[in-house]
Amino acid sequence: MRVGVGSLCRRGSQREVARVLGTLAPLGMRMHGFGVSINALRLVGPLLAISDSQAWSATARRERIRLPGCTHLSRPDPLTGCRVPTDCRNCFRYALAYREELMDALPRRTALRHAVHTAGRPAVSPAPDVAERPA
């Protein structure tokens, strides 16, 4: 059985997210977490089959993050047509940097499963812990 658990970012507490997902996990559902933050994934990553979030874009916009070398411009002003430098809210380079931070936050087993899924292949049952394999 698959189930989507949504708007987890709005719960405002990683412990509440963990409580909700921890309650559902024993039911044997493959769960998709909608709007799961990095901090919540640190707690519940292994309980989810997959998750998504727009936190990277919101963070770049809210904190006005602009990576060195990025030259993003705003949409043209409707009256003047002028475009001004803007943040990395839609920046592929910033999205990749955020993804790296996300992957570092996940336990290795969950990160491996996520990497397999995002490579365009269907998700598979979890492999043995990477730590158990010889280097």
Side-chain angles (χ1 to χ4, degrees), residues 39-51:
N39 290 329
L41 281 173
R42 286 185 177 107
L43 295 174
V44 299
L47 301 178
L48 296 170
I50 189 169
S51 69

Side-chain angles (χ1 to χ4, degrees), residues 42-106:
R42 286 185 177 107
L43 295 174
V44 299
L47 301 178
L48 296 170
I50 189 169
S51 69
D52 63 37
S53 176
Q54 291 183 353
W56 70 274
S57 181
T59 300
R61 183 178 60 249
R62 185 178 53 256
E63 297 178 16
R64 296 190 171 124
I65 295 172
R66 188 174 183 158
L67 295 177
C70 284
T71 57
H72 313 293
L73 296 174
S74 66
R75 293 182 176 160
D77 181 275
L79 299 176
T80 66
C82 294
R83 297 176 65 168
V84 296
T86 189
D87 52 52
C88 287
R89 69 182 72 185
N90 296 314
C91 175
F92 186 69
R93 286 180 55 223
Y94 184 70
L96 288 177
Y98 189 89
R99 181 186 184 276
E100 287 303 313
E101 183 181 349
L102 170 74
M103 297 303 283
D104 289 343
L106 295 173

Side-chain angles (χ1 to χ4, degrees), residues 11-30:
R11 297 205 61 87
S13 168
Q14 289 79 27
R15 288 189 183 121
E16 282 296 306
V17 170
R19 186 180 64 74
V20 169
L21 294 176
T23 301
L24 296 173
L27 302 175
M29 300 178 199
R30 287 183 44 119

